[in-house]
Structure formats: C-alpha cells, structure tokens
Amino acid sequence: MLSIEKLSKVFQGPKEIIRALDGISLSVEVNEFVVIQGPSGSGKTTLLLSAGGLLAPSDGNIIIDNQNPYQMSSDNRARFRASNIGFVFQQFYLVPYLSVLENVLVPSLAISQPNLRERAEKLISHFNLTDRISHVPGELSTGERQRTAMARALLNNPKLLLADEPVGNLDNENADIVLCALKEFADSDGAVLMVTHGDRAEKYAHKTIQLKNGKLL
Amino acid sequence: MTLWQLIIKEIRYQKLSFYFGITAVIVAVGVLIAELTLLETHDLQTKIILASKEEEMKEEMSIMEDDYRKIMKILGFNLLILPEGQQLSDFYAEGYATKDMPEEYVERLSASNIMTIRHLLPSIEQKIRWPEQGMKTIILIGTRGEVPFTKRDPKEPILVAVPPNNIVLGYELWKSLNLKVGDKIRLLGKNFQVSECHSQRGSEDDITAWVDLKQAQKMIGKQGRINAILALKCHCQGNEIENIGKDIKRILPNTQVIELSSRVITRAEARDRAKETAEFVLTSEKYYRAKLRREIEGFAAWLVPLVILGCIVWIGFLTFNNVRERKTEIGILRALGLRSKQILFVFLAKAVLIGIFGALFGYIAGFIIGLTAGETAFNSETIKTLFSPFLFLLVILTAPILAGFASWVPALLAAKQDPADILRNK
C-alpha cells in the first residue's frame, strides 16, 4: 500500500542545512499496522507528512497504492489524499465551531461520496460518541476529541491511515480505544503507519521500527 | 456538509468579527447613500423652489402688467391727429407731418361733445435753416398750448403755450449758440426773447425751437394751417384706439389718427423690466442652489472615498486576522483534501456576505439619514420619488465585490498556505 524508497528531506535552517530524513526506505502493506518509534526531533512528523502527500521529499520516492502523489498537480494530490489517506494527529485539529457530526463530515467537503452522513453516524456510534453528536470540541473530553478525529479520518474509507502521536495526550483507557481502532482498521484491509515516541502501541503493531536522527535503525 | 454550512457556522462562531465587517460596510455604504440622498433631496428641493419662484414671478409679472395696464388706462392714450393725405412713411422718415390741415379743425374738435379726448395741442412743425445763425438746420414748432374744450369744465392745461415773441430752445441750440434765458435773438427776421432752455433729451427736441403758433405759421408762410393735433389722455370703452379714431373721424373726416408709441413702449418696457427682475431672482436662486450643491458635493468628494477606503482597509485587516486565527484549521482542511480554491472561496464568500448585509443595512441607514438630514419632507411620496432601484441594485452588487477585493490578498495567502508547514510547526 505504502512504499517509501530512499526518502530524504532537508530543510534550510537559519545557519545550516537540517537533514530531517536521511535515505529512509520502508513499506506498509495492506492489513499491516506499522509503528515508527523515535524521540522528539528524530523526523517522525516529517516522515508522516511526506508519506501523506503533504511534504514533498528532497530525494527518494513515495508510492501510495501504486501512485506517486508528488507527480500529481496540487489539486489532484488533494483529491488523492481525500480519497485514499486518513490523518490522525496528537492535537486532534478539530474545527472548534463544528459539532462532532460536522467535524466527522469535514472530509466530505473535499470529496463527495454517497451516504456519508449515515457512515458518519455509524462511526460516531462505533466510537461511542452518539450522545455527544451535537457537541462542539470545546465541550468534549480529550479522549472524545481524539475519537472524533479517528471517526473523521475514517469517513472517506481511506486505504491508508497515518497517525502522528495519536495517543500522546490520552489516558490509558482512551489510548487503548484509539490503538484498538487503528488495529481494527488495519485488520479490515487497511494499512496504518503510526509515529510515536512512546512504546504503548507496540503490542498492537505488526511491526515497530526505530527512527533516530532521520534514519531508521 | 457543504462549504456554505462551514462558512455560516464560522460566522456564528466569530460573530464579533463579522459584525465589525458589516459595520464597516454599513458606514461606507451609509455615508455614500446619505450623501447621494442629500444631493437628491437638494435637487428635488431646488426644483420645487425654482418652480415656486417661477410661478411667483409669473403671478408678479401678471400683477405688474395688470398694474401698468390700469395705470395706462388712467393715463389714457396719446394720439396724434394728422391730415388725411399725410403718408405715414414720410411722417416717420421726417419726424413730423409734411402735410397740413386747417387750424380750424382743432376749434371744431374742442367745440364738439367728444368725451374720449381730454387735452388738445395743435402745432405746426417744419425743418428750416436758421439764416441768422449760419444756416443752421433746426426744427421749428409753433404751438398755441392747450385748446380748452368749450363744452366741458375747464381743466388745468398739461402744457403751457409759448407766449408771442418768446422762444424756447432745445439743448443743442442754446448750448452751441451760447444762449441763455433772457437773451434776444433773431429767427427768420423776427426778434425773440429766450424764455426757456431745455435740458438735454437725446432726441430731435435738442435742435428744436418752440414759438407761438401764429408767429410760426407766418414765418413759414402757412397762416391758419397746422400739421398735427396732439390729443392727450384719450379714453374710450375697452381702451380701443379704433373707437376714438371713429369718434374723431366723425368730427374731422379728413384726418387720420395714430397712437403714439409711448404706451406700447411703456408696457413693453415694464414687461421687460419685470422679466429681467424675475430672471435675476431666478438666476440668483439657481446660483445659490448650485453653490450649495457644490459645497455638499465637495464635502462628499473627500468623505465618501475616505470612508470607502477605510472600509476596504478594515475588511482586509479583519480577513487577514481571520486567516491568522484559522491557520490550523486551514492546515487540517488542506490535509483532509480541500483544494486551495475551496479555501479561497471560504474567505471570499464570507467577505461577500459581509458586503451584501452591509450594503443592505447601509443603504437603508444612509437613505433614512439622507432623508432626515435633507431639505425635503420625510414622507412616503419623497421615498417613492428618491428611491432608486438601480442604485440599490448597484450598491448591493458593488459592495460585495469591493469586500471581496479587500479580502482578496489575505484570502489568497490562506489558500496558498502550505499545510505541512502549519502542521509541522504545531
């Protein structure tokens, strides 16, 4: 599903060039839940954003579902992301003025699919948020926010789920719910790439890879 | 879920920012419409004032003409009775009658019971050379003064006769000959004493010498003849000259009667004077109104653009601030697949809504303010007259375009933001 070949990413710092990723190669297959584990500043988020078609690599290739998103136009890449990739972030990034249902439906702004509202309600129910369906993020607990973000990531039925520290702000109970959901997604013909600095996800992952100073160990 | 729903939800969430934007547009559109309405009310009032002045002037002119007509009726006509054979073309060319008629005509008229004539002045008049003064050309008039009507109570004569051996001189004559009252002079072999020297009249009177009728007749060899009878203050039913003419012709069949131009000229002059006065008043009013309009326009000329510019800057600032506050939201929306055009639409659509609502309320507010502060009465009739659907539509269409224009740069910045940058930095 996801194939990363010799991926490098360099940034121009104020004084010197920063090499965030240095020749990384990895792949995530269908039904696979891969965890990249590394300390802060190791290049986890850069790797995830590059894999998600949001950050063009300095060198190397990224192939998702046999397509290189960076060879597409900006608009086509956006459509490709909306159709194939789901994102989950540590800070949830929910739209503050939208209810749970509306937040879950946000991806439908990018791409129209039939019966999205019913699917959104099912996902909300699946993540045990039905009684919070009309609440805005400010009225939700941290766990509820992350579960809303999970439901949003799954709305368009993506093939690949990218998660950046999804349980970093959660208590054990909510972390387990989220990690279970990720595993469940991978098991149902999906692919998950998760980056984290902790080791909580190890027991759910099919593969855990260490990342340090932009290199896989 | 649609983009419009997202926009409406955000507006509800950020009410204050939206209200600030609308307020700016209300102020800009309000000032513009208030100024335009003020000018409209001014123009309307100008029309009303000028129409009223014109009406007033017409009435005054009518009254004035009527007054002159009445005055002239009191004064009566001034008629000239000429010999029947007198060609009027010769009369007008020479300035006096070249034919003559018996002096007895005036006696016949004064002895008649004609009631339409009040004063009779017979005269003989001829252009002559003055041999004693180097053959100077002068007009000699012989007059016997007013001939009283024998069948009426005597009235004070309006002209006094020149006594025999006396002479009255026109301005040019006494001035050029250096004569004064009391001087003795000779004319056609006769001795005269200057009894009166006229002031300048700017007419043939200035080269005229008046003497006693009998003496004049003798001097030019036309004893017992006259060539005109001036009939003053003539009156008749309806002031018709034909009626008086008929009366005179009945008594003096061999004469013709003409009206002296004085009455016609007086009436024409009066009308012209009244017209000039009216036109002056109207021109003054128009000038004052135009000046007032220029002042309002001058005030609007800097205020309106200033306010509109301020509004554009303010909306631009509000949108820029909105973009800054929603940076993360823009990042996640882009990450979830929204295209840059959709992000641009989100911000521009909000600006357009601000423009539409601001224009709507601004138009209403400006129209009411303009009407209240304007010169015309605030009533349904004025509203109907001054409300311009075209202007309303123009404002409703233009304000959103301007608001969109003001938001264009920050909205474009939002659309161009790199989601990876936003998410990485977070």
Side-chain angles (χ1 to χ4, degrees):
Chain A
M1 173 56 59
L2 170 67
S3 173
I4 299 172
E5 294 165 4
K6 297 178 181 171
L7 173 66
S8 294
K9 181 69 188 177
V10 294
F11 296 102
Q12 181 65 55
K15 287 180 184 170
E16 56 190 345
I17 289 174
I18 300 160
R19 188 168 286 274
L21 296 174
D22 189 6
I24 286 176
S25 294
L26 69 91
S27 64
V28 182
E29 302 302 329
V30 175
N31 294 325
E32 198 174 21
F33 181 1
V34 176
V35 172
I36 306 289
Q37 197 179 33
S40 294
S42 58
K44 299 189 298 293
T45 301
T46 304
L47 173 63
L48 200 82
L49 293 175
S50 293
L54 289 167
L55 191 62
S58 306
D59 199 12
N61 282 325
I62 292 167
I63 307 295
I64 303 167
D65 198 21
N66 299 319
Q67 292 181 76
N68 185 341
Y70 295 105
Q71 287 176 349
M72 299 173 186
S73 69
S74 173
D75 279 358
N76 283 341
R77 193 159 63 244
R79 281 194 196 94
F80 178 80
R81 266 201 310 274
S83 307
N84 296 289
I85 306 168
F87 285 96
V88 185
F89 298 95
Q90 184 179 1
Q91 290 88 352
F92 329 123
Y93 295 140
L94 297 175
V95 181
Y97 50 86
L98 296 181
S99 67
V100 166
L101 176 64
E102 288 159 345
N103 261 296
V104 173
L105 281 168
V106 162
S108 68
L109 294 171
I111 191 159
S112 179
Q113 285 180 6
N115 307 320
L116 279 178
R117 190 181 169 90
E118 287 77 5
R119 181 164 165 75
E121 284 168 351
K122 272 185 191 169
L123 285 166
I124 287 166
S125 171
H126 177 78
F127 285 104
N128 204 21
L129 290 164
T130 307
D131 57 340
R132 298 291 200 179
I133 195 161
S134 58
H135 287 228
V136 291
E139 296 165 345
L140 302 176
S141 69
T142 314
E144 286 168 335
R145 287 180 204 176
Q146 191 59 298
R147 279 183 274 149
T148 305
M150 277 293 299
R152 180 181 66 186
L154 297 173
L155 181 80
N156 281 346
N157 216 359
K159 293 168 182 166
L160 173 67
L161 204 56
L162 300 173
D164 185 3
E165 297 275 16
V167 294
N169 288 336
L170 303 183
D171 55 30
N172 289 339
E173 187 187 345
N174 279 303
D176 284 339
I177 292 171
V178 169
L179 290 170
C180 272
L182 291 174
K183 173 103 175 40
E184 200 178 307
F185 173 77
D187 291 342
S188 57
D189 295 334
V192 177
L193 175 65
M194 174 178 156
V195 295
T196 178
H197 69 277
D199 54 5
R200 190 182 281 168
E202 268 181 44
K203 62 179 176 183
Y204 296 94
H206 297 109
K207 193 159 61 180
T208 301
I209 305 166
Q210 298 295 320
L211 178 70
K212 195 172 181 185
N213 297 327
K215 288 180 180 176
L216 293 180
L217 301 178
Chain B
M1 183 78 178
T2 62
L3 281 179
W4 276 112
Q5 283 173 315
L6 185 82
I7 292 160
I8 302 297
K9 288 267 177 184
E10 197 274 336
I11 287 171
R12 283 187 187 166
Y13 182 67
Q14 298 272 21
K15 283 190 195 83
L16 206 60
S17 160
F18 189 67
Y19 292 155
F20 278 152
I22 285 184
T23 307
V25 180
I26 288 174
V27 171
V29 172
V31 168
L32 172 72
I33 296 301
E35 284 289 351
L36 289 177
T37 310
L38 264 179
L39 286 173
E40 291 279 333
T41 61
H42 174 87
D43 290 346
L44 192 64
Q45 189 63 13
T46 301
K47 266 188 198 170
I48 293 167
I49 289 172
L50 292 182
S52 147
K53 287 268 177 201
E54 271 174 22
E55 195 57 39
E56 214 173 275
M57 287 302 139
K58 268 185 197 166
E59 268 178 39
E60 278 179 15
M61 272 186 72
S62 170
I63 291 167
M64 200 180 286
E65 276 205 54
D66 198 44
D67 286 348
Y68 275 103
R69 191 182 59 76
K70 285 173 186 166
I71 291 165
M72 289 309 296
K73 194 176 176 185
I74 294 163
L75 288 172
F77 295 105
N78 292 335
L79 298 177
L80 199 59
I81 303 164
L82 299 171
E84 190 179 38
Q86 175 66 52
Q87 289 291 321
L88 289 179
S89 55
D90 293 341
F91 171 75
Y92 291 126
E94 289 295 324
Y96 63 90
T98 50
K99 302 284 180 190
D100 51 54
M101 58 189 170
E103 189 184 346
E104 175 266 332
Y105 277 15
V106 73
E107 313 297 346
R108 208 190 297 174
L109 209 54
S110 67
S112 72
N113 54 2
I114 190 167
M115 298 305 289
T116 47
I117 299 174
R118 291 178 68 182
H119 304 280
L120 290 171
L121 296 154
S123 66
I124 186 133
E125 186 173 350
Q126 192 169 312
K127 202 178 279 175
I128 60 161
R129 298 279 183 179
W130 192 344
E132 290 85 355
Q133 295 293 342
M135 299 304 278
K136 188 187 261 292
T137 301
I138 66 164
I139 296 167
L140 179 69
I141 295 179
T143 175
R144 58 182 271 197
E146 190 177 341
V147 178
F149 282 91
T150 53
K151 293 188 178 172
R152 289 189 221 161
D153 293 336
K155 286 188 170 65
E156 192 183 339
I158 60 170
L159 281 173
V160 181
V162 181
N165 302 322
N166 277 260
I167 190 166
V168 175
L169 295 174
Y171 178 80
E172 180 56 30
L173 294 181
W174 65 262
K175 190 83 180 169
S176 63
L177 299 173
N178 202 21
L179 294 170
K180 58 183 184 302
V181 173
D183 285 352
K184 301 230 186 298
I185 55 165
R186 276 181 76 78
L187 174 61
L188 297 175
K190 293 261 178 210
N191 289 323
F192 292 96
Q193 186 172 11
V194 178
S195 62
E196 196 176 345
C197 292
H198 281 316
S199 55
Q200 194 171 27
R201 289 178 178 174
S203 68
E204 65 273 14
D205 283 0
D206 290 345
I207 56 159
T208 301
W210 288 267
V211 296
D212 172 61
L213 179 65
K214 292 286 178 203
Q215 283 184 312
Q217 287 168 335
K218 203 172 170 186
M219 284 159 75
I220 57 175
K222 288 186 177 177
Q223 285 90 338
R225 308 293 291 180
I226 53 171
N227 51 15
I229 302 167
L230 186 60
L232 299 175
K233 293 192 175 183
C234 306
H235 293 276
C236 71
Q237 191 75 31
N239 265 357
E240 293 296 333
I241 186 172
E242 286 83 4
N243 295 335
I244 305 174
K246 276 178 196 166
D247 282 352
I248 293 169
K249 290 272 278 184
R250 193 166 35 80
I251 300 158
L252 304 173
N254 299 322
T255 57
Q256 57 181 315
V257 178
I258 60 168
E259 187 193 3
L260 288 179
S261 61
S262 58
R263 178 178 178 271
V264 178
I265 291 169
T266 308
R267 288 190 69 175
E269 281 179 354
R271 196 163 37 236
D272 287 349
R273 186 65 58 84
K275 199 177 172 190
E276 272 173 25
T277 310
E279 278 172 359
F280 175 74
V281 171
L282 275 180
T283 309
S284 302
E285 189 65 39
K286 276 180 189 167
Y287 173 78
Y288 166 72
R289 300 294 301 174
K291 192 179 165 206
L292 195 62
R293 195 182 203 282
R294 277 198 301 277
E295 280 173 11
I296 301 171
E297 274 179 335
F299 181 63
W302 65 264
L303 181 69
V304 172
L306 193 75
V307 172
I308 289 175
L309 190 70
C311 166
I312 288 172
V313 171
W314 179 238
I315 289 176
F317 168 77
L318 287 175
T319 311
F320 182 78
N321 200 43
N322 193 233
V323 168
R324 205 168 50 87
E325 283 174 352
R326 297 170 71 185
K327 205 169 176 177
T328 312
E329 184 190 328
I330 295 164
I332 192 63
L333 290 175
R334 294 278 282 130
L336 292 176
L338 266 78
R339 295 176 294 285
S340 54
K341 282 176 196 164
Q342 288 177 295
I343 301 295
L344 191 68
F345 176 80
V346 166
F347 287 96
L348 289 184
K350 186 178 174 182
V352 166
L353 285 178
I354 286 174
I356 291 171
F357 284 108
L360 186 69
F361 294 122
Y363 189 95
I364 294 167
F367 194 62
I368 291 171
I369 291 168
L371 280 177
T372 314
E375 299 173 57
T376 50
F378 188 174
N379 53 39
S380 59
E381 197 57 39
T382 317
I383 293 171
K384 259 190 226 167
T385 311
L386 295 181
F387 176 74
S388 159
F390 172 74
L391 181 65
F392 177 73
L393 209 64
L394 191 71
V395 167
I396 295 292
L397 288 175
T398 311
I401 291 171
L402 280 180
F405 169 75
S407 300
W408 183 258
V409 173
L412 208 60
L413 284 176
K416 295 279 177 199
Q417 275 182 16
D418 186 349
D421 272 353
I422 299 168
L423 300 174
R424 266 180 70 241
N425 292 332
K426 275 278 172 180

